[in-house]
Amino acid sequence: MTRFIFITGGVVSSLGKGIASAALGALLQARGYNVRLRKLDPYLNVDPGTMSPYQHGEVFITDDGAETDLDLGHYERFTGVHATKGDSVSTGGIYTSILKKERRGEYLGATVQVIPHVTNEIKNVITSGVTEEDFIISEIGGTVGDIESLPFLEAIRQLGYEVGRDRALFLHLTLLPYIPTAGELKTKPTQHSVKELQGHGIQPDILLCRSDREIPAGERRKIALFCNIPEANCIQALDLNSIYEVPLAYHREGLDTQVLKHFSMDDAPEPDLEPWREIARRVMEPEGEVRIAVVGKYTVLLDAYKSLSEALIHGGIANNVKVKIDWIESEVFEKEEEAIQRLEGTHAILVPGGFGERGAEGKIEAVRFARERKIPYFGICFGMQMAVLEAARNLAGIEDASSSEFGPTNHSIVGLMTEWEKEDGKETRAADGDLGGTMRLGAYPCVLEEGTLAREVYGTAEISERHRHRYEVNMSYRELLEEKGLKFSGVSPDGLLPEIVEYPDHPWFIGVQFHPELKSKPFDPHPLFKSFVEAALTQSRLV
Ligand code: GLN
């Protein structure tokens, strides 16, 4: 029997609903239950794939190639359950499917309306494909009170009614702001937010109250009384130093216990939280520190590199060190020559994924610095493409080596596969037109060559990693680049697409066309990040 937990947020956005949902999932899992987390976003984009990272942070990619909200990344990192296309939907996605049905005549004769058609579609998303899950945790994006979230609130209200209160739980995350002049935590915004939910027919069962300090007993009583919620279910969620402490803190506050009580699952086994304790210990009490420079372009908005910074933390967990990230805007290397000195003394350099020409030359400079100075280098997606351009220019002497992404070029070392197919006189695939969902997305296999660093790091001959890119390194340059020392150590099983490059004569230099950061977990750090941080640690002992 599957139970449904609905998570809403009130008062302000950015309260960490995604982490709260993920942490609850992890706690239920630690008690031996099967969980699946889902995200429903009220915005109108069909998916976040076309949004700038400035708007919505990183776009998370699932194995089956969906471009989803970054919260799905938190869900996977906390529970290890891999999300699928069906676990993330937006209003735009809901309407797309309704309008397609309408055109096919599936509603023939009916007036298509928000209620029941949109709300039914939302309910279908929440309940679809549910088989052995004990809990489906559905997080509703946005803040209660937003106009666009109304159909979602109505849908979860109906679903709660339909499955029955013993199979549904409404959890609301709010904020108790501290007003220094009054010296008090304020409960009024929470009361109003709950009233708003009640106005939509939803009585929250549990309140999770974010606060920067302990909530006094009197305030808790007040919230309970005015919001119609037992005091034990008004749970404080204090600010913490690391997100990986959240499951432990919520457990101490009784969150999972109260959730299970609501479902009358009093005989539930105690959770095994030892793995989380070990993770928290390693994050909070590392035995050393490495400094890693990340040369990118969205460095003012770190949500754009969420999975990446988490994967580096995981690499740190694996090596029992703290990874201190120095975020560097790559354009600084283009503006003044001496700026490259900023990389002096860094223990490792990473160029992450990216799009467009801005900052690309600076990234190539960073690659050169890492290659020549023998500093560990990790290039991810765009960072691999820039490593290949650097090799083509500075080792193979192709001065104008470039990527078609930056405009027409005589030497498109990086380009669209369709360009080369065209050259061969083969059929070309449509590359023009729609931009949404037109990249190489999702999991693809890759074969690793014996005797390479990649093979050693993974410890296996075939891997599967997630992709999100439009351009590829042109295989016709492989021979030339390999002669110059850049080894293509991982390729697609058909041998047509390069996936990994490396320099055998460098202490640690790897470029990957995929995004390994998407699959790293705190309890299962990705082998590449584990090995990269280890190489940074070795380097730190040299400088
Ligand atoms: N812009 C590059 C491409 O589309 C790289 C994308 C990325 O780094 N995710 O191929």
Side-chain angles (χ1 to χ4, degrees):
M1 186 175 78
T2 305
R3 291 153 182 97
F4 294 89
I5 298 175
F6 305 108
I7 301 194
T8 52
V11 184
V12 290
S13 58
S14 305
L15 282 183
K17 240 184 317 151
I19 301 281
S21 307
L24 176 56
L27 286 175
L28 293 170
Q29 209 182 36
R31 289 181 183 257
Y33 297 110
N34 275 327
V35 297
R36 176 160 290 281
L37 287 115
R38 296 194 150 148
K39 177 84 195 274
L40 297 104
D41 272 305
Y43 54 71
L44 288 179
N45 301 62
V46 173
D47 61 43
T50 55
M51 276 190 238
S52 150
Y54 287 115
Q55 289 281 316
H56 214 71
E58 162 188 279
V59 177
F60 189 78
I61 308 298
T62 58
D63 276 331
D64 60 359
E67 297 183 279
T68 71
D69 189 83
L70 57 71
D71 280 328
L72 280 269
H74 294 311
Y75 304 165
E76 286 201 5
R77 282 188 285 275
F78 275 72
T79 65
V81 178
H82 284 181
T84 63
K85 273 194 171 106
D87 294 327
S88 165
V89 79
S90 65
T91 298
I94 299 267
Y95 272 82
T96 302
S97 104
I98 290 177
L99 293 176
K100 272 192 193 142
K101 283 190 206 164
E102 192 274 336
R103 292 291 85 183
R104 284 199 301 265
E106 286 182 30
Y107 303 112
L108 222 49
T111 308
V112 183
Q113 295 180 294
V114 172
I115 296 167
H117 301 100
V118 172
T119 44
N120 282 352
E121 195 74 26
I122 296 172
K123 288 194 283 182
N124 284 343
V125 169
I126 297 173
T127 55
S128 73
V130 174
T131 48
E132 79 273 25
E133 287 87 353
D134 298 304
F135 294 96
I136 296 286
I137 302 176
S138 303
E139 178 192 345
I140 312 295
T143 309
V144 167
D146 297 345
I147 291 177
E148 54 191 17
S149 53
L150 288 180
F152 291 90
L153 296 181
E154 172 59 13
I156 59 173
R157 183 199 66 75
Q158 289 183 12
L159 201 51
Y161 170 77
E162 284 165 357
V163 300
R165 293 317 308 268
D166 55 339
R167 276 184 63 203
L169 181 148
F170 293 95
L171 187 153
H172 191 52
L173 183 69
T174 72
L175 172 72
L176 302 193
Y178 178 75
I179 307 295
T181 46
E184 273 176 356
L185 277 174
K186 292 296 184 187
T187 65
K188 196 67 62 87
T190 295
Q191 296 177 37
H192 280 294
S193 177
V194 170
K195 209 173 269 172
E196 178 84 28
L197 261 184
Q198 290 167 338
H200 297 299
I202 296 173
Q203 168 61 51
D205 302 295
I206 293 186
L207 272 188
L208 201 46
C209 304
R210 287 296 308 271
S211 162
D212 68 352
R213 62 202 67 212
E214 288 280 329
I215 304 175
E219 304 306 306
R220 202 188 282 233
R221 265 198 302 278
K222 209 152 106 188
I223 299 170
L225 182 64
F226 294 127
C227 298
N228 250 350
I229 297 170
E231 236 177 278
N233 286 4
C234 299
I235 294 168
Q236 69 178 359
L238 301 177
D239 296 350
L240 298 164
N241 291 320
S242 159
I243 56 171
Y244 298 121
E245 292 178 302
V246 176
L248 298 169
Y250 283 3
H251 176 67
R252 275 196 305 273
E253 300 292 345
L255 177 65
D256 47 325
T257 310
Q258 293 311 112
V259 165
L260 293 167
K261 229 180 225 162
H262 171 91
F263 291 118
S264 309
M265 297 164 81
D266 298 322
D267 54 350
E270 278 302 304
D272 173 15
L273 294 175
E274 207 34 53
W276 287 104
R277 272 187 213 108
E278 180 60 16
I279 289 164
R281 193 192 60 69
R282 284 175 174 243
V283 172
M284 301 314 295
E285 300 158 28
E287 278 165 14
E289 179 178 292
V290 293
R291 285 193 314 278
I292 295 182
V294 175
V295 181
K297 86 170 171 191
Y298 303 111
T299 52
V300 286
L301 187 96
L302 300 181
D303 262 2
Y305 299 118
K306 196 74 221 161
S307 294
L308 178 76
S309 50
E310 294 307 320
L312 284 168
I313 292 174
H314 305 161
I317 290 174
N319 289 283
N320 221 350
V321 293
K322 178 180 165 58
V323 175
K324 199 164 172 296
I325 305 177
D326 185 10
W327 299 98
I328 301 177
E329 188 70 41
S330 61
E331 274 178 308
V332 299
F333 302 135
E334 297 164 18
K335 289 184 187 131
E336 41 174 325
E337 229 162 83
E338 303 82 65
I340 203 78
Q341 299 312 324
R342 214 177 136 182
L343 294 174
E344 198 69 60
T346 192
H347 304 144
I349 296 171
L350 189 152
V351 174
F355 290 86
E357 197 170 10
R358 180 170 78 78
E361 292 302 321
K363 292 176 187 174
I364 292 174
E365 280 310 306
V367 175
R368 180 179 196 155
F369 189 88
R371 177 177 61 77
E372 290 180 345
R373 301 294 196 90
K374 301 230 181 284
I375 297 169
Y377 175 81
F378 194 2
I380 295 180
C381 206
F382 198 70
M384 177 245 205
Q385 296 174 356
M386 294 309 104
V388 173
L389 290 191
E390 194 275 327
R393 287 186 193 177
N394 301 326
L395 294 177
I398 309 172
E399 276 170 31
D400 58 349
S402 186
S403 164
S404 318
E405 186 172 2
F406 311 150
T409 152
N410 288 331
H411 286 106
S412 77
I413 311 287
V414 177
L416 294 171
M417 279 191 80
T418 48
E419 298 170 37
W420 316 317
E421 286 174 354
K422 223 181 259 167
E423 280 168 18
D424 297 347
K426 285 189 210 144
E427 275 288 294
T428 60
R429 281 174 288 168
D432 306 326
D434 283 359
L435 280 184
T438 55
M439 289 187 256
R440 177 143 82 108
L441 292 168
Y444 285 85
C446 163
V447 181
L448 307 175
E449 194 172 314
E450 190 93 50
T452 61
L453 176 60
R455 173 74 185 257
E456 184 193 317
V457 166
Y458 275 99
T460 171
E462 188 168 328
I463 55 164
S464 167
E465 293 281 5
R466 297 180 195 169
H467 291 247
R468 182 180 189 241
H469 55 102
R470 198 164 273 122
Y471 300 87
E472 309 275 355
V473 171
N474 190 339
M475 263 313 211
S476 49
Y477 290 93
R478 176 177 186 171
E479 220 180 291
L480 174 65
L481 291 169
E482 289 205 324
E483 263 169 36
K484 301 294 171 191
L486 185 66
K487 173 110 201 112
F488 286 46
S489 51
V491 293
S492 58
D494 60 9
L496 294 178
L497 295 172
E499 299 278 11
I500 310 180
V501 295
E502 61 184 72
Y503 285 110
D505 64 349
H506 188 285
W508 206 102
F509 189 111
I510 287 188
V512 295
Q513 185 57 79
F514 44 82
H515 288 274
E517 72 274 24
L518 300 176
K519 280 174 71 172
S520 189
K521 318 271 184 325
F523 40 80
D524 185 17
H526 191 287
L528 284 171
F529 282 89
K530 183 176 167 191
S531 174
F532 177 58
V533 172
E534 194 184 331
L537 193 56
T538 308
Q539 177 72 14
S540 75
R541 295 187 178 125
L542 299 177
V543 293

